[in-house]
């Protein structure tokens, strides 16, 4: 397809009178190429793909600027293209994978993985809790680490989690936020959400900074994050996400996971964190669960 598009580009130059017919053929071939390039990529890699496509849009704008002799388009497109490529490289590094592996690997074929399509029936020893139970655990905590994920975004719970953090701080607890580079659906998704809630920047910690702190944390509060907290990435060589750096949530003294259900994340695999003896599962919409927990915590 790529060679065909290049050939049509040559046709543009050789026979300008046929430009209209060639244009529609190039348009169709380009759309097909884009679909075929993205289609094999697994859901868990979508943040990387989005970043890469953003970079492509910048490059396209820069090329258009050269055609139109527009310096603004050239500069703006170059900046978008360069920053997109840099962000893509950072995210690939965070997942411990190369861009070629993301684009052409088989990570997305979770249906062929032994750990795929696992649901609630595959879990044993799950300990569920209520908002009151979660509040009792948090009431005695001197240090807490919040791990936001896509569930936080879906329920728009960024303001609720900030309120909970403020209540914890009023009781003498030290609160930090652990940000994984590929948490959510877009690069920087969690940073934007927490910024909307005016969470202080000094409380936000990147993965490499916060991981050593989990050992000393009294409680880790996981809000909708799944794959980025999955211990299988460290412990199971056969897992599709093996080798991907994760947040060491399971090393905290207690873990509270707020999640609607036991459904898998983007990678489509089971998360052993949910079965950990230190983990309490609070099954609910994130915003409702956090608000109820905050209310109960205030009453203690």
């Amino acid at each position: 397809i790529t060679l065909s598009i290049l050939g049509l580009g040559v046709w543009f130059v050789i026979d300008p009178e046929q430009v209209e017919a060639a244009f529609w053929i190039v348009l169709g071939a380009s759309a097909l190429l884009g679909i075929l390039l993205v289609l094999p990529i697994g859901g868990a890699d979508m943040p990387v793909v989005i970043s890469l496509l953003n970079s492509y849009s910048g490059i396209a704008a820069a090329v258009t600027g050269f055609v139109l002799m527009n310096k603004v388009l050239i500069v703006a497109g170059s900046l978008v293209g360069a920053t997109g490529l840099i962000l893509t490289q950072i995210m690939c590094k965070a997942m411990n994978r190369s861009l070629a592996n993301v684009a052409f690997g088989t990570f997305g074929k979770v249906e062929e993985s032994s750990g795929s399509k696992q649901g609630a029936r595959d879990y044993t020893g799950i300990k569920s809790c209520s908002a009151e139970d979660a509040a009792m655990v948090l009431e005695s905590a001197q240090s807490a680490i919040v791990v936001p994920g896509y569930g936080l975004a879906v329920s728009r719970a960024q303001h609720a989690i900030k309120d909970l953090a403020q209540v914890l701080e009023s009781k003498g607890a030290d609160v930090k936020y652990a940000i994984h580079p590929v948490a959510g659906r877009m690069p920087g998704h969690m940073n934007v959400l927490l910024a909307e809630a005016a969470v202080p920047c000094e409380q936000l910690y990147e993965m490499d900074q916060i991981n050593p702190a989990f050992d000393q944390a009294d409680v880790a509060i996981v809000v909708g994050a799944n794959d980025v907290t999955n211990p299988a990435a460290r412990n199971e060589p056969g897992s599709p996400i093996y080798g991907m750096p994760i947040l060491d949530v399971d090393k905290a003294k207690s873990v509270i996971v707020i999640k609607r259900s036991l459904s898998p994340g983007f990678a489509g695999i089971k998360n052993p964190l949910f079965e950990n003896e230190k983990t309490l599962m609070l099954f609910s919409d994130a915003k409702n669960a956090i608000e109820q927990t905050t209310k109960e915590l205030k009453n203690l």
Side-chain angles (χ1 to χ4, degrees), residues 106-229:
T106 57
F107 185 78
K109 298 180 179 180
V110 295
E111 68 275 11
E112 298 177 7
S113 170
S114 61
S116 65
K117 296 186 178 179
Q118 292 170 319
R121 65 181 182 275
D122 298 297
Y123 287 94
T124 58
I126 295 295
K127 293 187 291 185
S128 61
C129 71
S130 64
E132 184 179 1
D133 297 329
M136 292 179 65
V137 173
L138 294 173
E139 200 272 337
S140 60
Q142 294 300 306
S143 59
I145 299 178
V146 178
V147 181
Y150 185 60
L152 182 93
V154 170
S155 63
R156 300 180 181 178
Q158 58 267 36
H159 295 281
I161 197 64
K162 183 193 176 184
D163 292 340
L164 176 59
Q166 288 178 328
V167 174
L168 285 169
E169 289 170 344
S170 70
K171 293 179 176 289
D174 176 48
V175 180
K176 296 181 175 68
Y177 294 81
I179 309 298
H180 193 284
V182 294
R185 294 298 190 264
M186 291 281 288
H189 197 173
M190 298 300 103
N191 300 76
V192 172
L193 287 177
L194 296 175
E196 287 179 1
V199 172
C201 292
E202 58 269 18
Q203 289 186 327
L204 305 183
Y205 291 83
E206 296 181 1
M207 178 177 58
D208 293 338
Q209 295 175 306
I210 197 66
N211 267 345
F214 279 106
D215 283 330
Q216 289 78 41
D218 291 322
V219 60
I221 308 169
V222 181
V223 189
N226 198 323
D227 296 331
V228 298
T229 64

Side-chain angles (χ1 to χ4, degrees), residues 271-291:
N271 190 343
L273 174 69
F274 302 161
E275 296 176 322
N276 193 304
E277 60 180 9
K278 299 183 293 184
T279 301
L280 294 175
M281 302 292 300
L282 179 50
F283 295 110
S284 177
D285 171 77
K287 185 176 181 181
N288 292 336
I290 295 169
E291 288 177 343

Side-chain angles (χ1 to χ4, degrees), residues 6-19 21-23 25:
L6 292 174
L8 288 168
V10 174
W11 185 21
F12 278 160
V13 177
I14 296 176
D15 191 0
E17 294 182 359
Q18 301 297 323
V19 66
F23 170 78
I25 296 173

